Amino acid sequence: MKFLHLSTLPGDPHIAYRQNTLFIEQVGASAVAEAFGTPTYVYSRGAIEAAARQYAEAAAHDTVRVALRYAVKANSNLAVLQLLARLGWGFDIVSGGELQRVLAAGGQAGKVVFSGVGKTAAEMRLALDAGVDCFNVESPNELALLDRVAAERGKTARVALRVNPDVDAGTHPYISTGLKTNKFGIAQEQAVDLAVRIALLPHVQLVGIACHIGSQITTVEPYLDALDKVLDLVEAMERKGARIEHIDLGGGLGIRYSDETPPTAQQWLQPLLARIAARGFGHRTVMVEPGRSVVGNAGVLLTRTLFVKSTPAKHFAVVDAGMNDLIRPALYHAEQAVVTVQRRDGAPRRYDIVGPVCESADWLARDRALVLDEGDLLAVLSSGAYGMVMASNYNSRGRPAEVLIDGNEMTLLRPRETAEQLYASERLLP
Ligand code: LLP
């Protein structure tokens, strides 16, 4: 039976049981539910900062300079971005909206890299005017558009070519991005030509090379494979006169949701930096764009059990969080640990933990052994990344509140959405 007697919870030590009650730092999870209701995303400031610090330590190297660029898409709450900006992090964005969030949170545009396969001219304009550091370009036509937009703004855009290294990251097909059948990146066969052609475009300047092979990757090997291919391309590009200042390795480092054993930031980064130095590229800057591994284990989704429902086939715990609040189980069959906030004695039963949304895909966990009663609070662990950012208003459900715990203090980062807010900008017919 999964997750029955977890002495240590998968995830971060800032989220742990004390005398059979789940705490986030010094605050009992039930106190959060009492103050702000459920469903609510709860983040530990200490856990986010600890993960960020581990990256800073992992980035230390004699000759390679590492630039940390948090992938905003994982959790774009302004306060989360603010914490990381204060620690000196830059940001990896994939939309104009994310850029606006970064700037609103006090991030520096000069430390922003703009990724994404489908940037619009309007987004390019916004990013050029803000002064982002670099555009990670994914196709010749995108490059041509960027050149035109930069000309119109009287600027020169700094560009990295995102190449597709065609490696299998061994992760879920929906979150694997570095295979040649994926839509992402420029094929290796085309990358060198394009690097040469950039010189003909007056308003873009090639400064880097980038790749990103997928997400929730739990071994270093695919990264080393990708890195070797990227370095081969750097060599080929530089033989033709290009000058590559930085190598962006993307994000993707996995976290422990249940029994995974992903490398630490140190175990991930150091072999890559060593390979870069060993191959004679030690004087470059290396960028990394981690998202999940910075915030994933720092958050839980708190939800309350509405009903326990037993059919001849199954026991269901119907809870007040649904697929609209946390879509990862429905979309990727993701298995996140679910625990009761209050641990109590009794014979566990196996539950499917399901939400109120009218879809059979509306489940948060399946076949979990729990001692559970109606009214009990549950916590879906490791929900700090790709949780709230992927939440929707399906079934006209307001999205959850978000709360940050810092020691014994709770701060409401975003109140629960109300129904009125959901239709506030809609218009009735005359
Ligand atoms: N850089 C680029 C260009 C990316 O596309 C991504 C994630 C990242 C960095 C950050 O990757 P991370 O370190 O967070 O793995 N919604 C999915 C994950 C999608 C990831 C998309 N790209 C999930 O819930 O598993």
Side-chain angles (χ1 to χ4, degrees):
M1 284 191 189
K2 248 183 180 163
F3 312 125
L4 177 52
H5 287 302
L6 295 162
S7 48
T8 53
L9 299 176
D12 186 281
H14 290 83
I15 297 166
Y17 281 107
R18 293 190 192 175
Q19 279 129 25
N20 293 325
T21 301
L22 187 72
F23 273 71
I24 298 98
E25 302 197 17
Q26 321 291 327
V27 179
S30 28
V32 182
E34 222 157 87
F36 303 108
T38 51
T40 290
Y41 279 100
V42 192
Y43 310 125
S44 154
R45 176 176 179 167
I48 296 172
E49 291 183 336
R53 240 186 342 266
Q54 280 176 25
Y55 266 103
E57 284 160 17
H61 191 273
D62 286 346
T63 57
V64 188
R65 193 183 86 85
V66 177
L68 301 171
R69 303 288 179 253
Y70 169 69
V72 173
K73 64 169 79 70
N75 183 329
S76 59
N77 187 285
L78 288 192
V80 171
L81 303 182
Q82 181 188 27
L83 286 179
L84 292 165
R86 282 186 184 162
L87 293 174
W89 284 57
F91 298 93
D92 165 54
I93 59 162
V94 290
S95 70
E98 287 192 350
L99 174 58
Q100 286 174 284
R101 280 184 173 274
V102 166
L103 298 177
Q108 292 172 33
K111 289 185 178 176
V112 166
V113 19
F114 194 169
S115 299
V117 70
K119 304 173 191 77
T120 65
E123 289 176 315
M124 291 174 180
R125 249 173 240 130
L126 190 72
L128 284 165
D129 292 349
V132 303
D133 176 39
C134 184
F135 292 80
N136 284 358
V137 166
E138 303 211 17
S139 68
N141 292 357
E142 181 193 341
L143 189 66
L145 176 63
L146 181 59
D147 183 60
R148 287 202 298 280
V149 175
E152 170 209 302
R153 308 312 281 178
K155 302 241 160 88
T156 302
R158 287 162 52 83
V159 162
L161 291 185
R162 170 161 171 190
V163 298
N164 183 328
D166 191 26
V167 297
D168 184 358
T171 186
H172 189 282
Y174 283 14
I175 53 176
S176 141
T177 52
L179 287 171
K180 67 176 166 205
T181 49
N182 295 134
K183 71 177 175 182
F184 296 100
I186 295 160
Q188 295 171 86
E189 301 82 342
Q190 298 167 335
V192 180
D193 264 5
L194 193 59
V196 172
R197 290 215 314 271
I198 290 182
L200 306 174
L201 299 174
H203 293 277
V204 288
Q205 181 197 0
L206 180 65
V207 294
I209 192 163
C211 72
H212 170 79
I213 57 176
S215 197
Q216 185 53 19
I217 299 169
T218 51
T219 57
V220 180
E221 285 69 34
Y223 285 101
L224 286 167
D225 292 349
L227 176 62
D228 275 329
K229 293 184 175 183
V230 165
L231 294 179
D232 290 347
L233 288 172
V234 174
E235 272 166 4
M237 288 173 182
E238 295 201 330
R239 268 200 304 273
K240 303 233 165 152
R243 172 82 189 89
I244 306 295
E245 296 167 17
H246 77 253
I247 300 163
D248 181 343
L249 298 175
L253 180 60
I255 61 171
R256 182 156 177 239
Y257 283 103
S258 53
D259 50 8
E260 303 89 340
T261 51
T264 61
Q266 180 93 14
Q267 290 163 342
W268 177 55
L269 213 40
Q270 284 296 323
L272 295 169
L273 300 182
R275 176 74 55 96
I276 289 168
R279 285 195 52 179
F281 294 93
H283 48 289
R284 317 291 157 119
T285 295
V286 167
M287 280 183 193
V288 286
E289 306 168 351
R292 188 193 313 267
S293 51
V294 182
V295 291
N297 280 331
V300 305
L301 175 61
L302 267 189
T303 178
R304 197 175 285 282
T305 312
L306 300 173
F307 305 107
V308 167
K309 171 174 171 176
S310 295
T311 69
K314 270 184 186 259
H315 301 298
F316 294 97
V318 184
V319 301
D320 65 3
M323 65 188 289
N324 72 295
D325 303 304
L326 178 67
I327 202 176
R328 302 194 66 257
L331 190 56
Y332 314 115
H333 288 197
E335 295 212 346
Q336 297 186 212
V338 178
V339 298
T340 52
V341 164
Q342 209 61 50
R343 264 204 297 217
R344 38 197 177 92
D345 295 330
R349 284 200 303 198
R350 304 182 80 92
Y351 290 97
D352 279 13
I353 298 159
V354 300
V357 172
C358 302
E359 298 247 3
S360 290
D362 182 27
W363 53 277
L364 298 179
R366 284 181 167 159
D367 206 23
R368 299 295 174 83
L370 290 165
V371 183
L372 185 67
D373 217 337
E374 288 184 357
D376 281 359
L377 285 170
L378 296 173
V380 186
L381 303 185
S382 311
S383 298
Y386 305 111
M388 184 62 173
V389 284
M390 296 180 81
S392 78
N393 295 120
Y394 188 38
N395 282 200
S396 284
R397 291 166 51 80
R399 287 175 300 167
E402 288 178 290
V403 172
L404 184 80
I405 306 296
D406 180 7
N408 56 14
E409 279 173 33
M410 315 187 226
T411 306
L412 180 62
L413 301 182
R414 164 151 59 181
R416 180 179 318 290
E417 266 175 335
T418 63
E420 293 77 14
Q421 286 174 322
L422 301 193
Y423 57 73
S425 58
E426 295 177 31
R427 297 284 174 266
L428 290 170
L429 297 174

